[in-house]
Every structure is written in structure tokens, then in C-alpha cells.
Short mmCIF file of all heavy atoms in Angstrom, two decimals:
data_model
loop_
_atom_site.label_atom_id
_atom_site.label_comp_id
_atom_site.label_asym_id
_atom_site.label_seq_id
_atom_site.Cartn_x
_atom_site.Cartn_y
_atom_site.Cartn_z
N MET A 1 102.23 100.08 128.59
CA MET A 1 101.87 99.09 127.58
C MET A 1 101.56 97.76 128.25
O MET A 1 102.05 97.49 129.34
CB MET A 1 103.04 99.06 126.59
CG MET A 1 103.45 97.75 126.04
SD MET A 1 104.75 97.87 124.82
CE MET A 1 104.46 96.29 124.05
N PHE A 2 100.70 97.00 127.60
CA PHE A 2 100.25 95.74 128.19
C PHE A 2 100.75 94.56 127.36
O PHE A 2 100.90 94.65 126.15
CB PHE A 2 98.72 95.71 128.25
CG PHE A 2 98.16 96.73 129.18
CD1 PHE A 2 97.85 98.01 128.73
CD2 PHE A 2 97.96 96.43 130.52
CE1 PHE A 2 97.34 98.96 129.59
CE2 PHE A 2 97.44 97.37 131.38
CZ PHE A 2 97.13 98.64 130.92
N LEU A 3 100.99 93.47 128.07
CA LEU A 3 101.49 92.27 127.39
C LEU A 3 100.65 91.06 127.79
O LEU A 3 100.74 90.58 128.92
CB LEU A 3 102.96 92.03 127.76
CG LEU A 3 103.60 90.82 127.09
CD1 LEU A 3 103.67 91.00 125.58
CD2 LEU A 3 104.99 90.59 127.65
N PRO A 4 99.82 90.57 126.86
CA PRO A 4 99.08 89.34 127.14
C PRO A 4 99.97 88.12 126.91
O PRO A 4 100.75 88.09 125.96
CB PRO A 4 97.93 89.37 126.12
CG PRO A 4 98.32 90.34 125.07
CD PRO A 4 99.50 91.14 125.55
N THR A 5 99.84 87.16 127.77
CA THR A 5 100.60 85.92 127.63
C THR A 5 99.64 84.74 127.70
O THR A 5 98.77 84.71 128.56
CB THR A 5 101.64 85.79 128.78
OG1 THR A 5 102.44 86.97 128.80
CG2 THR A 5 102.54 84.59 128.57
N ILE A 6 99.81 83.80 126.79
CA ILE A 6 98.96 82.61 126.77
C ILE A 6 99.77 81.40 127.20
O ILE A 6 100.84 81.13 126.66
CB ILE A 6 98.36 82.39 125.37
CG1 ILE A 6 97.36 83.50 125.07
CG2 ILE A 6 97.64 81.04 125.29
CD1 ILE A 6 97.68 84.35 123.92
N ASP A 7 99.24 80.71 128.19
CA ASP A 7 99.90 79.50 128.68
C ASP A 7 99.48 78.33 127.78
O ASP A 7 98.32 77.91 127.80
CB ASP A 7 99.46 79.24 130.12
CG ASP A 7 100.15 78.02 130.72
OD1 ASP A 7 100.71 77.22 129.96
OD2 ASP A 7 100.10 77.87 131.95
N PRO A 8 100.40 77.80 126.97
CA PRO A 8 100.03 76.72 126.03
C PRO A 8 99.59 75.44 126.74
O PRO A 8 98.90 74.61 126.15
CB PRO A 8 101.31 76.50 125.22
CG PRO A 8 102.40 77.09 126.03
CD PRO A 8 101.82 78.15 126.89
N GLU A 9 99.98 75.30 127.99
CA GLU A 9 99.55 74.12 128.75
C GLU A 9 98.06 74.18 129.06
O GLU A 9 97.40 73.16 129.20
CB GLU A 9 100.33 74.04 130.07
CG GLU A 9 101.82 73.90 129.91
CD GLU A 9 102.22 72.51 129.48
OE1 GLU A 9 101.65 71.54 130.01
OE2 GLU A 9 103.07 72.40 128.58
N LYS A 10 97.54 75.41 129.16
CA LYS A 10 96.13 75.59 129.53
C LYS A 10 95.23 75.86 128.33
O LYS A 10 94.04 75.59 128.38
CB LYS A 10 96.01 76.75 130.54
CG LYS A 10 96.65 76.46 131.88
CD LYS A 10 96.45 77.64 132.82
CE LYS A 10 97.06 77.36 134.19
NZ LYS A 10 96.97 78.56 135.07
N CYS A 11 95.78 76.44 127.27
CA CYS A 11 94.96 76.78 126.11
C CYS A 11 94.51 75.54 125.38
O CYS A 11 95.30 74.65 125.07
CB CYS A 11 95.77 77.66 125.15
SG CYS A 11 94.87 78.05 123.63
N GLU A 12 93.20 75.48 125.10
CA GLU A 12 92.67 74.33 124.34
C GLU A 12 92.18 74.74 122.95
O GLU A 12 91.46 73.99 122.29
CB GLU A 12 91.56 73.64 125.13
CG GLU A 12 90.38 74.54 125.42
CD GLU A 12 89.24 73.82 126.15
OE1 GLU A 12 89.47 72.68 126.63
OE2 GLU A 12 88.15 74.40 126.24
N GLY A 13 92.53 75.96 122.54
CA GLY A 13 92.25 76.38 121.16
C GLY A 13 90.80 76.65 120.84
O GLY A 13 90.38 76.49 119.70
N CYS A 14 90.04 77.09 121.82
CA CYS A 14 88.60 77.31 121.59
C CYS A 14 88.33 78.54 120.73
O CYS A 14 87.27 78.66 120.13
CB CYS A 14 87.87 77.44 122.92
SG CYS A 14 88.25 78.97 123.82
N GLY A 15 89.28 79.47 120.69
CA GLY A 15 89.14 80.65 119.85
C GLY A 15 88.33 81.78 120.45
O GLY A 15 88.12 82.82 119.80
N GLU A 16 87.87 81.62 121.68
CA GLU A 16 87.06 82.67 122.30
C GLU A 16 87.82 83.99 122.39
O GLU A 16 87.28 85.06 122.09
CB GLU A 16 86.63 82.24 123.71
CG GLU A 16 85.65 81.11 123.76
CD GLU A 16 84.25 81.50 123.31
OE1 GLU A 16 83.91 82.68 123.44
OE2 GLU A 16 83.53 80.62 122.83
N CYS A 17 89.06 83.94 122.79
CA CYS A 17 89.84 85.16 122.94
C CYS A 17 90.12 85.80 121.58
O CYS A 17 90.11 87.02 121.44
CB CYS A 17 91.14 84.88 123.69
SG CYS A 17 92.22 83.69 122.86
N VAL A 18 90.33 84.95 120.58
CA VAL A 18 90.59 85.45 119.21
C VAL A 18 89.39 86.25 118.72
O VAL A 18 89.54 87.34 118.16
CB VAL A 18 90.89 84.26 118.26
CG1 VAL A 18 91.06 84.75 116.83
CG2 VAL A 18 92.11 83.50 118.73
N ASP A 19 88.19 85.69 118.93
CA ASP A 19 86.97 86.36 118.48
C ASP A 19 86.67 87.62 119.28
O ASP A 19 86.07 88.56 118.77
CB ASP A 19 85.77 85.40 118.59
CG ASP A 19 85.88 84.25 117.61
OD1 ASP A 19 86.63 84.37 116.62
OD2 ASP A 19 85.21 83.23 117.83
N ALA A 20 87.06 87.63 120.54
CA ALA A 20 86.65 88.71 121.43
C ALA A 20 87.60 89.90 121.45
O ALA A 20 87.19 91.01 121.79
CB ALA A 20 86.50 88.16 122.86
N CYS A 21 88.83 89.72 121.08
CA CYS A 21 89.81 90.82 121.18
C CYS A 21 89.41 91.97 120.25
O CYS A 21 89.30 91.78 119.04
CB CYS A 21 91.21 90.33 120.82
SG CYS A 21 92.43 91.66 120.78
N PRO A 22 89.19 93.16 120.80
CA PRO A 22 88.74 94.28 119.98
C PRO A 22 89.77 94.78 118.98
O PRO A 22 89.41 95.41 117.98
CB PRO A 22 88.41 95.36 121.01
CG PRO A 22 89.19 95.01 122.21
CD PRO A 22 89.30 93.51 122.22
N THR A 23 91.02 94.49 119.20
CA THR A 23 92.04 94.95 118.26
C THR A 23 92.49 93.84 117.31
O THR A 23 93.33 94.07 116.43
CB THR A 23 93.27 95.51 119.01
OG1 THR A 23 93.73 94.53 119.92
CG2 THR A 23 92.93 96.76 119.76
N GLY A 24 91.96 92.63 117.48
CA GLY A 24 92.27 91.54 116.55
C GLY A 24 93.71 91.09 116.56
O GLY A 24 94.25 90.67 115.53
N ILE A 25 94.34 91.15 117.71
CA ILE A 25 95.77 90.80 117.76
C ILE A 25 96.02 89.38 118.26
O ILE A 25 97.17 89.00 118.49
CB ILE A 25 96.57 91.79 118.61
CG1 ILE A 25 96.06 91.82 120.05
CG2 ILE A 25 96.54 93.18 117.99
CD1 ILE A 25 97.01 92.55 121.00
N LEU A 26 94.94 88.62 118.43
CA LEU A 26 95.11 87.23 118.85
C LEU A 26 94.72 86.32 117.69
O LEU A 26 93.79 86.61 116.95
CB LEU A 26 94.24 86.93 120.07
CG LEU A 26 94.50 87.80 121.30
CD1 LEU A 26 93.48 87.48 122.39
CD2 LEU A 26 95.91 87.60 121.83
N GLU A 27 95.42 85.22 117.53
CA GLU A 27 95.08 84.24 116.50
C GLU A 27 95.42 82.85 117.01
O GLU A 27 96.17 82.70 117.97
CB GLU A 27 95.84 84.53 115.20
CG GLU A 27 97.33 84.30 115.32
CD GLU A 27 98.07 84.47 114.00
OE1 GLU A 27 97.52 85.07 113.07
OE2 GLU A 27 99.23 84.01 113.93
N LEU A 28 94.84 81.85 116.34
CA LEU A 28 95.20 80.48 116.66
C LEU A 28 96.35 80.06 115.76
O LEU A 28 96.29 80.22 114.54
CB LEU A 28 94.00 79.54 116.47
CG LEU A 28 92.87 79.66 117.50
CD1 LEU A 28 91.76 78.67 117.15
CD2 LEU A 28 93.36 79.41 118.91
N GLY A 29 97.39 79.53 116.35
CA GLY A 29 98.54 79.06 115.58
C GLY A 29 98.30 77.67 115.02
O GLY A 29 97.26 77.05 115.26
N GLU A 30 99.26 77.17 114.29
CA GLU A 30 99.15 75.84 113.70
C GLU A 30 99.05 74.75 114.76
O GLU A 30 98.55 73.66 114.51
CB GLU A 30 100.36 75.57 112.79
CG GLU A 30 100.29 76.36 111.49
CD GLU A 30 101.52 76.17 110.64
OE1 GLU A 30 102.34 75.29 110.96
OE2 GLU A 30 101.66 76.93 109.66
N ASP A 31 99.53 75.06 115.94
CA ASP A 31 99.44 74.11 117.04
C ASP A 31 98.10 74.21 117.77
O ASP A 31 97.90 73.57 118.80
CB ASP A 31 100.59 74.34 118.03
CG ASP A 31 100.62 75.78 118.56
OD1 ASP A 31 99.77 76.60 118.15
OD2 ASP A 31 101.50 76.06 119.39
N ASN A 32 97.18 75.04 117.22
CA ASN A 32 95.86 75.26 117.81
C ASN A 32 95.94 75.88 119.20
O ASN A 32 95.11 75.62 120.07
CB ASN A 32 95.05 73.96 117.86
CG ASN A 32 93.56 74.24 117.81
OD1 ASN A 32 93.11 75.17 117.15
ND2 ASN A 32 92.77 73.44 118.53
N LYS A 33 96.93 76.70 119.40
CA LYS A 33 97.06 77.48 120.63
C LYS A 33 96.98 78.95 120.26
O LYS A 33 97.48 79.36 119.20
CB LYS A 33 98.42 77.23 121.31
CG LYS A 33 98.74 75.76 121.58
CD LYS A 33 97.88 75.19 122.67
CE LYS A 33 98.25 73.72 122.92
NZ LYS A 33 97.34 73.08 123.87
N ALA A 34 96.34 79.72 121.11
CA ALA A 34 96.26 81.15 120.86
C ALA A 34 97.63 81.79 120.98
O ALA A 34 98.46 81.37 121.79
CB ALA A 34 95.29 81.80 121.84
N ARG A 35 97.84 82.81 120.15
CA ARG A 35 99.10 83.55 120.25
C ARG A 35 98.84 85.02 119.92
O ARG A 35 97.84 85.37 119.29
CB ARG A 35 100.17 82.96 119.35
CG ARG A 35 99.86 83.06 117.87
CD ARG A 35 100.91 82.33 117.07
NE ARG A 35 100.64 82.44 115.64
CZ ARG A 35 101.15 81.63 114.73
NH1 ARG A 35 101.96 80.65 115.08
NH2 ARG A 35 100.87 81.80 113.45
N VAL A 36 99.77 85.85 120.33
CA VAL A 36 99.63 87.29 120.16
C VAL A 36 100.41 87.69 118.92
O VAL A 36 101.59 87.38 118.79
CB VAL A 36 100.20 88.03 121.39
CG1 VAL A 36 99.95 89.52 121.27
CG2 VAL A 36 99.58 87.49 122.67
N THR A 37 99.73 88.38 117.99
CA THR A 37 100.41 88.76 116.76
C THR A 37 101.11 90.12 116.88
O THR A 37 102.15 90.33 116.27
CB THR A 37 99.42 88.83 115.59
OG1 THR A 37 98.38 89.75 115.91
CG2 THR A 37 98.81 87.46 115.33
N ASP A 38 100.52 91.03 117.63
CA ASP A 38 101.06 92.39 117.68
C ASP A 38 100.86 93.00 119.07
O ASP A 38 99.93 93.77 119.29
CB ASP A 38 100.37 93.25 116.61
CG ASP A 38 101.06 94.58 116.41
OD1 ASP A 38 102.02 94.88 117.16
OD2 ASP A 38 100.65 95.32 115.51
N PRO A 39 101.72 92.62 120.00
CA PRO A 39 101.55 93.06 121.39
C PRO A 39 101.47 94.58 121.54
O PRO A 39 100.81 95.08 122.46
CB PRO A 39 102.80 92.52 122.11
CG PRO A 39 103.46 91.58 121.17
CD PRO A 39 102.90 91.79 119.79
N ALA A 40 102.10 95.32 120.65
CA ALA A 40 102.10 96.79 120.77
C ALA A 40 100.70 97.37 120.63
O ALA A 40 100.43 98.48 121.08
CB ALA A 40 103.03 97.40 119.72
N GLU A 41 99.79 96.62 120.02
CA GLU A 41 98.43 97.10 119.81
C GLU A 41 97.48 96.72 120.94
O GLU A 41 96.30 97.07 120.91
CB GLU A 41 97.87 96.54 118.49
CG GLU A 41 98.55 97.09 117.26
CD GLU A 41 98.37 98.59 117.12
OE1 GLU A 41 97.25 99.07 117.32
OE2 GLU A 41 99.36 99.29 116.84
N CYS A 42 97.96 96.00 121.93
CA CYS A 42 97.10 95.57 123.03
C CYS A 42 96.66 96.79 123.84
O CYS A 42 97.47 97.63 124.22
CB CYS A 42 97.83 94.59 123.94
SG CYS A 42 96.85 94.08 125.38
N GLN A 43 95.34 96.85 124.11
CA GLN A 43 94.77 97.98 124.86
C GLN A 43 94.66 97.69 126.35
O GLN A 43 94.20 98.54 127.11
CB GLN A 43 93.37 98.29 124.32
CG GLN A 43 93.37 98.72 122.87
CD GLN A 43 91.97 98.88 122.32
OE1 GLN A 43 91.00 98.40 122.89
NE2 GLN A 43 91.84 99.58 121.20
N GLY A 44 94.98 96.49 126.74
CA GLY A 44 94.86 96.15 128.15
C GLY A 44 93.44 96.06 128.65
O GLY A 44 93.16 96.27 129.83
N CYS A 45 92.52 95.71 127.77
CA CYS A 45 91.09 95.71 128.14
C CYS A 45 90.70 94.50 128.98
O CYS A 45 89.62 94.48 129.57
CB CYS A 45 90.23 95.76 126.88
SG CYS A 45 90.35 94.27 125.86
N GLU A 46 91.53 93.49 129.01
CA GLU A 46 91.31 92.26 129.79
C GLU A 46 90.19 91.38 129.26
O GLU A 46 89.80 90.41 129.91
CB GLU A 46 91.06 92.58 131.28
CG GLU A 46 92.27 93.17 131.96
CD GLU A 46 92.13 93.22 133.48
OE1 GLU A 46 91.00 93.13 133.97
OE2 GLU A 46 93.17 93.33 134.14
N THR A 47 89.66 91.70 128.09
CA THR A 47 88.61 90.86 127.52
C THR A 47 89.09 89.42 127.34
O THR A 47 88.37 88.46 127.66
CB THR A 47 88.15 91.43 126.17
OG1 THR A 47 87.69 92.76 126.37
CG2 THR A 47 87.04 90.59 125.55
N CYS A 48 90.30 89.26 126.85
CA CYS A 48 90.83 87.92 126.61
C CYS A 48 90.95 87.13 127.92
O CYS A 48 90.68 85.93 127.95
CB CYS A 48 92.20 88.01 125.93
SG CYS A 48 93.36 89.13 126.74
N VAL A 49 91.32 87.81 128.97
CA VAL A 49 91.43 87.16 130.28
C VAL A 49 90.05 86.70 130.74
O VAL A 49 89.88 85.58 131.24
CB VAL A 49 92.04 88.13 131.32
CG1 VAL A 49 92.10 87.49 132.70
CG2 VAL A 49 93.42 88.59 130.88
N THR A 50 89.06 87.56 130.54
CA THR A 50 87.70 87.29 131.01
C THR A 50 87.04 86.15 130.25
O THR A 50 86.37 85.31 130.84
CB THR A 50 86.84 88.57 130.87
OG1 THR A 50 87.49 89.62 131.57
CG2 THR A 50 85.45 88.36 131.44
N VAL A 51 87.21 86.11 128.93
CA VAL A 51 86.48 85.12 128.13
C VAL A 51 87.13 83.74 128.14
O VAL A 51 86.46 82.75 127.83
CB VAL A 51 86.28 85.57 126.66
CG1 VAL A 51 85.48 86.85 126.59
CG2 VAL A 51 87.59 85.67 125.92
N CYS A 52 88.38 83.64 128.47
CA CYS A 52 89.04 82.33 128.42
C CYS A 52 88.47 81.40 129.49
O CYS A 52 88.53 81.71 130.68
CB CYS A 52 90.55 82.47 128.61
SG CYS A 52 91.37 80.85 128.55
N PRO A 53 87.95 80.25 129.07
CA PRO A 53 87.36 79.32 130.04
C PRO A 53 88.41 78.57 130.86
O PRO A 53 88.07 77.92 131.84
CB PRO A 53 86.56 78.36 129.16
CG PRO A 53 87.19 78.42 127.81
CD PRO A 53 87.77 79.79 127.67
N ASN A 54 89.66 78.66 130.44
CA ASN A 54 90.71 77.85 131.08
C ASN A 54 91.74 78.67 131.85
O ASN A 54 92.77 78.13 132.26
CB ASN A 54 91.44 77.02 130.02
CG ASN A 54 90.50 76.07 129.32
OD1 ASN A 54 89.55 75.57 129.91
ND2 ASN A 54 90.72 75.86 128.05
N GLU A 55 91.46 79.94 132.00
CA GLU A 55 92.40 80.83 132.69
C GLU A 55 93.81 80.72 132.10
O GLU A 55 94.81 80.69 132.81
CB GLU A 55 92.42 80.54 134.20
CG GLU A 55 91.07 80.79 134.84
CD GLU A 55 91.06 80.55 136.35
OE1 GLU A 55 92.04 80.00 136.87
OE2 GLU A 55 90.06 80.94 136.98
N ALA A 56 93.85 80.65 130.77
CA ALA A 56 95.14 80.50 130.09
C ALA A 56 95.81 81.83 129.79
O ALA A 56 96.99 81.86 129.46
CB ALA A 56 94.93 79.74 128.77
N VAL A 57 95.03 82.94 129.88
CA VAL A 57 95.59 84.23 129.50
C VAL A 57 95.88 85.07 130.74
O VAL A 57 95.04 85.19 131.63
CB VAL A 57 94.61 85.02 128.61
CG1 VAL A 57 95.30 86.23 128.00
CG2 VAL A 57 94.03 84.14 127.52
N THR A 58 97.05 85.63 130.79
CA THR A 58 97.38 86.59 131.83
C THR A 58 97.83 87.88 131.15
O THR A 58 98.32 87.87 130.02
CB THR A 58 98.52 86.08 132.75
OG1 THR A 58 99.61 85.65 131.94
CG2 THR A 58 98.05 84.93 133.61
N LEU A 59 97.58 88.97 131.85
CA LEU A 59 97.90 90.29 131.29
C LEU A 59 98.82 91.02 132.25
O LEU A 59 98.55 91.13 133.44
CB LEU A 59 96.60 91.06 131.12
CG LEU A 59 96.67 92.33 130.29
CD1 LEU A 59 97.05 92.03 128.85
CD2 LEU A 59 95.32 93.05 130.33
N GLN A 60 99.92 91.48 131.71
CA GLN A 60 100.90 92.20 132.51
C GLN A 60 101.01 93.62 132.01
O GLN A 60 100.97 93.85 130.79
CB GLN A 60 102.28 91.59 132.30
CG GLN A 60 102.68 90.47 133.18
CD GLN A 60 104.10 90.06 132.85
OE1 GLN A 60 104.37 89.59 131.75
NE2 GLN A 60 105.00 90.28 133.77
N GLU A 61 101.19 94.56 132.90
CA GLU A 61 101.53 95.90 132.47
C GLU A 61 103.04 96.01 132.48
O GLU A 61 103.69 95.72 133.48
CB GLU A 61 100.89 96.95 133.39
CG GLU A 61 100.99 98.34 132.80
CD GLU A 61 100.04 99.32 133.46
OE1 GLU A 61 99.38 98.96 134.45
OE2 GLU A 61 99.99 100.47 132.97
N VAL A 62 103.60 96.38 131.35
CA VAL A 62 105.07 96.40 131.23
C VAL A 62 105.58 97.78 130.85
O VAL A 62 104.81 98.62 130.39
CB VAL A 62 105.58 95.37 130.20
CG1 VAL A 62 105.34 93.96 130.71
CG2 VAL A 62 104.92 95.55 128.84
S1 LIG B 101 93.78 92.77 126.67
FE1 LIG B 101 92.19 93.32 125.16
S2 LIG B 101 93.33 94.21 123.42
FE2 LIG B 101 94.82 93.09 124.68
S3 LIG B 101 94.96 91.03 123.73
FE3 LIG B 101 93.41 90.94 125.39
S4 LIG B 101 91.43 91.33 124.39
FE4 LIG B 101 93.06 92.01 122.99
S1 LIG B 102 90.10 81.60 125.15
FE1 LIG B 102 91.71 80.54 126.31
S2 LIG B 102 91.55 78.38 125.72
FE2 LIG B 102 90.40 79.58 124.19
S3 LIG B 102 91.90 79.96 122.54
FE3 LIG B 102 91.99 81.72 123.96
S4 LIG B 102 93.65 81.21 125.41
FE4 LIG B 102 93.05 79.32 124.36
#
């Protein structure tokens, strides 16, 4: 299983990862930072890592 993590220090809330995630498990929170809603559904596709302009997303295999 894969676990995406968003670094709030680096995220600027552009929404690119939210729009690009094929399983729709990323959203922007009230603080305008991306967050993961349902990690169990992550496919480990790395799309979120690739599209983030700020290198805010890291993906771990757990
Ligand atoms: S690795 Fe893929 S499925 Fe998982 S959160 Fe990122 S874009 Fe979504
Ligand atoms: S693509 Fe990067 S900067 Fe944009 S919302 Fe996602 S984590 Fe934040």
C-alpha cells in the first residue's frame, strides 16, 4: 500500500494534485493545503508527485 504525504510548508494550494489524482482522494482543506482523504485508495501512480510544482508531495510504500 502507498501513502502520499503533503508537506504543508511547501504546498501553495494550486489544486493540481487534486485535479490529477485518478482516484480522487486528494482535496484542498480549509487551510488551502492539499490533504489525503482516503489513503487506502491510493494506487501509487505518482501522478500527484509529478504534477506538484513545489515538490510538496512524497509517496511512500508502506
Ligand atoms: S499516487 Fe496516484 S492515486 Fe495516490 S494520491 Fe497520488 S495521484 Fe492519487
Ligand atoms: S500540486 Fe502541490 S502545491 Fe499544488 S495543491 Fe497539490 S501539493 Fe499543494
Side-chain angles (χ1 to χ4, degrees):
M1 141 176 200
F2 294 90
L3 181 64
T5 306
I6 291 118
D7 182 344
E9 299 285 318
K10 293 182 179 175
C11 176
E12 60 177 12
C14 70
E16 291 288 334
C17 61
V18 176
D19 292 340
C21 175
T23 54
I25 60 167
L26 302 175
E27 68 176 17
L28 289 179
E30 287 176 10
D31 56 359
N32 207 35
K33 307 289 181 186
R35 65 186 181 199
V36 185
T37 57
D38 192 355
E41 292 298 316
C42 177
Q43 298 174 343
C45 67
E46 294 192 342
T47 301
C48 51
V49 177
T50 304
V51 299
C52 180
N54 299 327
E55 298 182 349
V57 191
T58 51
L59 193 64
Q60 272 183 295
E61 192 164 5
V62 292

